[in-house]
Structure formats: C-alpha cells, structure tokens
Amino acid sequence: NSLEAQESQRPGSSFKIHLAAAFEILKFCFLLHRTEFALKEIMSSGGAEDDIPQAERKTVTDFCYLLDKSKQLFNGLRDLPQYGQKQWQSYFGRTFDVYTKLWKFQQQHRQVLDNRYGLKRWQIGEIASKIGQLYYHYYLRTSETSYLNEAFSFYSAIRQRSYYSQVNKEDRPELVVKKLRYYARFIVVCLLLNKMDVVKDLVKELSDEIEDYTHRFNTEDQVEWNLVLQEVAAFIEADPVMVLNDDNTIVITSNRLSETGAPLLEQGMIVGQLALADALIIGNCNNQVKFSELTIDMFRMLQALEREPMNLASQMNKPGMQESTEKPARRENPHKYLLYKPTFSQLYTFLAASFKELPANSVLLIYLSATGVFPSGRSDSEGPYDFGGVLTNSNRDVINGDAIHKRNQSYKEMHCLHPGDLYPFTRKPLFIIVDSSNSVAYKNFTNLFGQPLVCLLSPTAYPKALQDQSQRGSLFTLFLNNPLMAFLFVSGLSSMRRGLWEKCQDYLRKINRDIAQLLTHSRSIDQSFLQFFGDEFLRLLLTRFIFCSATMRMHKIFRETRNYPESYPQLPRDETVENPHLQKHILELASILDVRNVFLENTLDDY
C-alpha cells in the first residue's frame, strides 16, 4: 500500500520494478513459511522436536526447501511459450540446477531423511520421474536425441529399483495414477528410442497395474486408461513388414540418419550450401494410429529428421552446458515442433516463430499429414485459395476422415491451410511435404520471392487392390521414412529374414547414390532441388521421393495419375522418376526379393 501511495505522487515505471521485487520477496517468504510448517508437522509426528539434533533439523529443512522449489520451477515450465528457441533456456537451466541439488541431496542424506522426514521410496521415484520428464522436454525443445537416452536412464532406474512398488499398498488412488503416468511417459521415450522389447514389457506391466487400479478403486478413468493400452498396442503393430532373425524373433530397425544413410556428394557436384534448421511436423489424420499426441506419420517423419542418438555421460549436468570438447562432432539435428491438430492461429504462431529465428543460409521444412479440404465450388479466378488445402484441426464438419462441405458454400473452412497461407514464408528457403488426399492443391504455388522452394506431394489416392493401411500410416510417408519396408509392402511381402533385409538395404544405398547422380547431372532440373541437395536430411528425402515415385510408376496396380506423387517445381521425368537406369535398378531389387512379376518391364529400353 505504501508503494502504491508513493507511486500516486511520483508516476513512472519504477513502481512496476518495485512491485516485481516485492512479489519475489513474498514468494520466497511464502515458500519459507511452507517449509517451516511442513518441518513442524514432520517433527511433531516423529517425536519431541527438542530431541532432534540441530544438524538433522537443518538437513530436513534444506530438503523441504529444495523439494518445494523444484516443484515450483517444474510447474512453471507449463507457462513457458512452446515456440521460440531462446527464452526458455535460462528457466530450464535453473530447473535442472535445483533438481541436480535435490537428487544429490537425497542421496547424501538418505538415512536422516528416512528417520526424520519419513522419506518414502515412491517420493524418490517421483523426483527421478520429474528429472526424466525434464530430459524428455529438453529433447523436444532441442531435438537432440542424446537427451532421450538420459530420460531413459532415469525412467529405467525407477523400474529397476522398484521405487513405485509400495504405492499399491497405500489407499491413495492419486499415487497410483502417478505410477500409471510414469509408465505412459516411459513408453513414449522407449518408442522414440526404438526399444520395442522394453515397450512390450512395459505395456504388460501397465496392463496389470491398470487392472489392479480399477479393481481396487471405483474410478471413472478406467476407459481412458484402457484406451491408452489400445493406442500403444496399435502403435507397436503399425509397421506392415516384420524383419525376423533365424529364431523368428523380430529385428528392431532404426530409421534415423546414420553415418552411411545419405548418399555422399561426389567431388565436383555443384549443390547449394543451405542447411535444414527448423521443421514443423503437423498431424491431423482421422482414424490414424496415435499415442500421446503423436500420430504414426508424425512419428515416422520426426525420425527421418534425426541422427542416431549417442550416449552422453549420465550425470546430472545441465543440458547444453557441457564443454565444447565433450560434444560429439556433427550431432546437430534440425529443431522440430510437433503439432497435433493445431488450430490455424496456433500453426501460424509457430510458423512465424520459426521464420523469425531461422538463421542465415538455412531452410524451414513444413510437413503436413492431414485430411484434404476440397474447394466448395468453381471460382472465376484460380488463386492460391481456390484449390482447397489440408485440415489442420478436426471439427464437426469432418466425418470418417472426409471433409464435408458446409451448407453455406461462401465460407471457407477456418482451419484449412491453403497454399496461399504459406506465401509469406517463401521469403526464405522453404521445403514442404504434403501427405493428404488434396496434396495437389500445393502444385499451384507461385515462387514470389525467388528463394529456393520445393513441395513434395503424396498421391491423392491409392489403388483399391492395395490393402488399406491408412490407419497404420500413409504409404507415402513410409517411403520417406523406410523405403525398403514400403517397397516390400507394395510387393505383397509381410515378413523377411534379416540377411536378405540387409542385402536389400545395401542395394538400396546404391540406388540412392545413382539417384543423387541423376539429380546433379540433370540439365533441365529446377535449381531449387539442387539448392537443397547440400543438406543430408533433405538429400535423403529427395532421393527417397524419387525412388517412391519411380516404384509406383512401374508397379502394375498403380495405373492412375492420382496414384503417383508429384512435386512443385516438376521434376524432369525422363531424367529422374522415369529414367531407364533407375527402372533397371528397381527391377533388380524386385528380382532379389523374387517379386519381379508385380512390376512392368516394357518401360525399359534395351541395354
């Protein structure tokens, strides 16, 4: 009040500064008061307060303070903006600092905390779980896959040391829910690390826990937890082809960029020096397998934009603060935003943030996996808003994945992303991938600013003879993520021995090298493709796109124009997707797999 009275006589900005400082002091006092109150409660339940040595009292006080401070900082993470790459780093650093101190403190003073505080094992598990969440969210913020390993280490320690084992003996359903949520988060991290054997064990344990939870407590969330089980089970089984060892155990394959993944550039190849810096991965396909706001298409694309993870030293150091000498070389992954069913305003906010922070000589990638929105009627003009687009946020106008035209045809769908919506962002190098039933809307781009611009567009329909796999992910995205698995699927194969798989992968690497040569040696190709070809991730996506397109054009059941991928600008067909040399390679791969009969051969020139 005195500050307000003072301010009324002397207006200026200093009042806000004083008020902020006072607020911080009040927060500290409140935190200290809570700590002292908790300490008195603990001490009174543990015996006479006077009998406790001063050093042990201080230990409990310090622990209570660190615990409260850690919870306060952790809860504050929710208030940080999800977009932008800089403003959140200092806050994450402070949070990691406090959790580092808290974790080490409980290790060093475990006996005193057991005796005087009554520290329970589930409380230690809760601290470890929060640290695991911190590392996972740091991975989401930075796209550095090594932090997934750190999250896995803490989640795994909780399980190995049975920190949550006593929770079921307490008559507190909220503690059991904490345990179930821990399992769900652990499963997400294991899925991202392709630890499918661990995932299957966790799903079995989670199923038992859910059954016990619903049996003991008359809860209303039983259906929701059973849905979690169904989603993760469907996610595990989404791959259409199994790779088997000789003993019929499933081989877990990774589709992240490895050292030998992208075809190397030949000496003398003239390509651009652009680097992929930022990617927006957007998913809104109805009925598609998903888990934790991550559709199977989004999951596959994010892995296509990451390098294989490396183990960091599992110590509680702040992420991003290691010495430069300790950082492995060339570990940078493009930064990613994962947007599940974003509204138009959310999507535009994230796009604007990425555009603003895009470094010089860098590329922004936009991946759209979504239901198509088609034009409601013929228009006199044919502008960038007259061909429809893709639906980024589902609403009542979508039934079974198909967009329903509104009664009032004069209104356009609010959450439809039209090609014209992306025009402002073509002021910088832009690489777009559209996987949708209306992907061809993005053929109608105009490069207004002369910057490198490429759109890779999925088929708008697949042959009816091909078994419908849309629920388990798009075939087009599967080609961009795991081209050999997609090739096997369209060839009618559902399993394969490991030895043959590896032989085919070797041959596919040779095909990719030859595709890279076709692109760089082409005399009529649009320069935008070559501008992007210097980046390893974009190079791999382009070669896989051409392999996908060539495969579909040669396949006997892909006969309609709408069955083929397209691009903006158009690729010179005779030099790329219909090149006889590439066609010969595809037939040779089919021969290795003994499926040559599903491909056309009369398109080949004589060699």
Side-chain angles (χ1 to χ4, degrees):
N1 288 340
S2 62
L3 281 170
E4 267 189 83
Q6 191 178 5
E7 181 59 22
S8 64
Q9 298 174 356
R10 183 176 53 80
S13 61
S14 61
F15 174 65
K16 292 181 180 178
I17 298 171
H18 287 306
L19 195 61
F23 183 65
E24 286 298 320
I25 294 168
L26 281 171
K27 278 204 301 186
F28 178 79
C29 292
F30 178 67
L31 194 60
L32 195 62
H33 171 73
R34 282 175 57 191
T35 303
E36 288 177 352
F37 178 76
L39 181 63
K40 287 178 181 177
E41 289 290 311
I42 293 160
M43 296 304 186
S44 62
S45 63
E49 194 174 330
D50 296 337
D51 297 340
I52 300 172
Q54 186 66 29
E56 293 185 6
R57 284 169 53 82
K58 186 177 184 306
T59 296
V60 176
T61 304
D62 291 347
F63 178 76
C64 289
Y65 175 78
L66 284 173
L67 191 62
D68 263 354
K69 186 67 176 173
S70 67
K71 289 178 180 176
Q72 184 190 61
L73 286 168
F74 191 89
N75 292 335
L77 294 175
R78 300 191 191 103
D79 300 326
L80 293 177
Q82 296 299 306
Y83 50 86
Q85 298 185 45
K86 295 172 183 175
Q87 62 267 47
W88 54 268
Q89 287 178 328
S90 59
Y91 193 96
F92 257 89
R94 291 203 306 275
T95 308
F96 266 106
D97 273 341
V98 171
Y99 272 98
T100 300
K101 293 173 185 174
L102 179 63
W103 185 252
K104 289 179 178 176
F105 194 89
Q106 63 85 21
Q107 287 178 318
Q108 293 166 355
H109 303 282
R110 181 72 58 80
Q111 189 171 357
V112 173
L113 293 173
D114 283 346
N115 295 335
R116 301 301 185 190
Y117 179 82
L119 185 66
K120 299 184 186 304
R121 289 189 65 75
W122 67 261
Q123 291 173 304
I124 302 170
E126 191 68 4
I127 297 169
S129 181
K130 287 285 198 299
I131 295 169
Q133 286 181 66
L134 276 177
Y135 273 117
Y136 172 68
H137 284 286
Y138 203 80
Y139 154 74
L140 291 180
R141 294 274 185 173
T142 63
S143 298
E144 176 47 68
T145 45
S146 300
Y147 294 118
L148 281 173
N149 282 327
E150 302 304 305
F152 177 82
S153 295
F154 276 91
Y155 285 148
S156 189
I158 293 170
R159 184 167 170 245
Q160 289 169 1
R161 299 172 191 176
S162 304
Y163 282 138
Y164 282 122
S165 61
Q166 302 300 312
V167 162
N168 292 15
K169 295 182 179 178
E170 300 194 29
D171 192 27
R172 294 174 61 186
E174 71 276 10
L175 291 184
V176 182
V177 170
K178 284 180 184 286
K179 185 177 183 178
L180 299 181
R181 286 176 178 165
Y182 148 73
Y183 269 107
R185 294 184 183 112
F186 194 5
I187 288 169
V188 171
V189 168
C190 290
L191 284 171
L192 290 168
L193 287 170
N194 293 308
K195 295 182 182 290
M196 295 302 177
D197 49 345
V198 182
V199 170
K200 288 174 182 175
D201 291 341
L202 292 174
V203 169
K204 176 67 171 66
E205 292 174 24
L206 177 59
S207 177
D208 294 341
E209 294 290 343
I210 291 171
E211 189 176 343
D212 179 70
Y213 167 63
T214 54
H215 180 72
R216 290 175 57 219
F217 304 102
N218 187 18
T219 62
E220 297 179 357
D221 55 354
Q222 178 181 355
V223 175
E224 293 175 22
W225 281 110
N226 285 330
L227 182 60
V228 169
L229 284 176
Q230 292 169 20
E231 286 184 344
V232 70
F235 213 91
I236 296 169
E237 296 168 2
D239 284 350
V241 179
M242 290 187 298
V243 184
L244 302 173
N245 285 311
D246 291 337
D247 60 356
N248 287 334
T249 56
I250 297 174
V251 178
I252 307 302
T253 58
S254 175
N255 302 305
R256 287 188 170 94
L257 181 62
S258 62
E259 296 298 323
T260 59
L264 296 174
L265 292 174
E266 287 183 341
Q267 195 168 7
M269 275 188 181
I270 301 173
V271 296
Q273 300 302 309
L274 296 172
L276 179 59
D278 237 32
L280 271 75
I281 298 177
I282 299 146
N284 179 29
C285 281
N286 281 356
N287 304 322
Q288 192 174 96
V289 169
K290 76 166 193 68
F291 185 63
S292 184
E293 297 204 334
L294 196 65
T295 68
I296 191 68
D297 276 356
M298 294 171 68
F299 175 75
R300 285 171 176 157
M301 185 48 60
L302 85 86
Q303 296 221 332
L305 298 178
E306 290 181 347
R307 302 179 193 277
E308 283 293 347
M310 294 175 64
N311 281 311
L312 299 174
S314 291
Q315 300 171 354
M316 276 299 295
N317 295 325
K318 274 192 297 183
M321 302 301 286
Q322 289 90 356
E323 293 296 323
S324 58
T325 55
E326 297 177 10
K327 287 187 177 179
R330 294 180 60 123
R331 289 299 308 151
E332 297 83 6
N333 289 323
H335 173 259
K336 297 183 296 298
Y337 291 118
L338 305 175
L339 302 178
Y340 176 65
K341 297 190 175 183
T343 63
F344 178 78
S345 57
Q346 287 171 331
L347 176 53
Y348 233 58
T349 300
F350 279 83
L351 264 172
S354 284
F355 182 84
K356 177 186 175 185
E357 296 186 351
L358 199 68
N361 299 317
S362 295
V363 180
L364 171 61
L365 182 147
I366 302 172
Y367 169 79
L368 295 162
S369 166
T371 302
V373 178
F374 299 90
S376 55
R378 287 195 171 186
S379 174
D380 295 334
S381 64
E382 288 195 339
Y385 290 89
D386 296 318
F387 299 98
V390 300
L391 188 68
T392 62
N393 186 269
S394 297
N395 55 32
R396 287 174 296 177
D397 299 315
V398 177
I399 298 174
N400 296 326
D402 294 322
I404 305 301
H405 300 313
K406 294 186 175 181
R407 289 178 184 174
N408 190 337
Q409 301 288 341
S410 63
Y411 289 103
K412 285 185 165 68
E413 166 59 50
M414 176 183 173
H415 298 299
C416 172
L417 190 73
H418 297 267
D421 294 322
L422 299 179
Y423 275 18
F425 306 103
T426 61
R427 288 174 168 85
K428 294 181 181 180
L430 190 62
F431 195 99
I432 303 168
I433 302 172
V434 185
D435 195 337
S436 172
S437 55
N438 192 28
S439 60
V440 290
Y442 291 80
K443 277 202 311 183
N444 303 288
F445 246 96
T446 305
N447 194 340
L448 299 175
F449 299 98
Q451 290 290 325
L453 171 65
V454 162
C455 303
L456 304 183
L457 312 173
S458 72
T460 55
Y462 294 101
K464 291 181 180 178
L466 198 69
Q467 185 184 353
D468 182 26
Q469 292 283 323
S470 57
Q471 187 180 5
R472 297 165 73 175
S474 163
L475 178 60
F476 178 68
T477 295
L478 184 61
F479 262 104
L480 298 181
N481 166 259
N482 191 334
L484 180 54
M485 184 171 287
F487 188 87
L488 294 172
F489 172 65
V490 297
S491 301
L493 300 174
S494 59
S495 65
M496 166 157 297
R497 292 293 170 190
R498 182 174 192 162
L500 185 56
W501 171 271
E502 291 173 352
K503 180 181 178 181
C504 291
Q505 285 285 27
D506 287 339
Y507 194 77
L508 195 57
R509 278 189 279 272
K510 172 180 170 56
I511 294 176
N512 276 340
R513 287 195 298 271
D514 285 358
I515 291 173
Q517 287 183 356
L518 292 177
L519 270 170
T520 53
H521 293 171
S522 170
R523 295 182 179 182
S524 56
I525 194 168
D526 189 283
Q527 288 299 302
S528 285
F529 291 100
L530 299 180
Q531 287 293 313
F532 291 127
F533 213 64
D535 180 88
E536 284 183 286
F537 293 104
L538 300 181
R539 192 186 321 149
L540 198 55
L541 288 173
L542 284 169
T543 55
R544 287 174 174 176
F545 173 80
I546 291 172
F547 174 74
C548 169
S549 190
T551 298
M552 290 178 177
R553 287 172 185 276
M554 290 187 68
H555 201 288
K556 287 181 178 177
I557 65 171
F558 287 77
R559 293 293 84 207
E560 298 181 50
T561 304
R562 60 185 188 150
N563 296 157
Y564 306 141
E566 298 193 50
S567 67
Y568 171 86
Q570 282 193 348
L571 285 164
R573 289 184 188 172
D574 56 334
E575 293 181 293
T576 56
V577 297
E578 292 180 357
N579 181 275
H581 186 62
L582 175 56
Q583 291 176 338
K584 185 182 179 185
H585 277 326
I586 289 172
L587 284 179
E588 183 59 34
L589 180 60
S591 295
I592 295 171
L593 295 165
D594 197 23
V595 292
R596 192 158 174 154
N597 61 306
V598 303
F599 293 95
L600 297 169
E601 300 196 33
N602 58 2
T603 56
L604 282 176
D605 293 335
D606 293 328
Y607 276 76

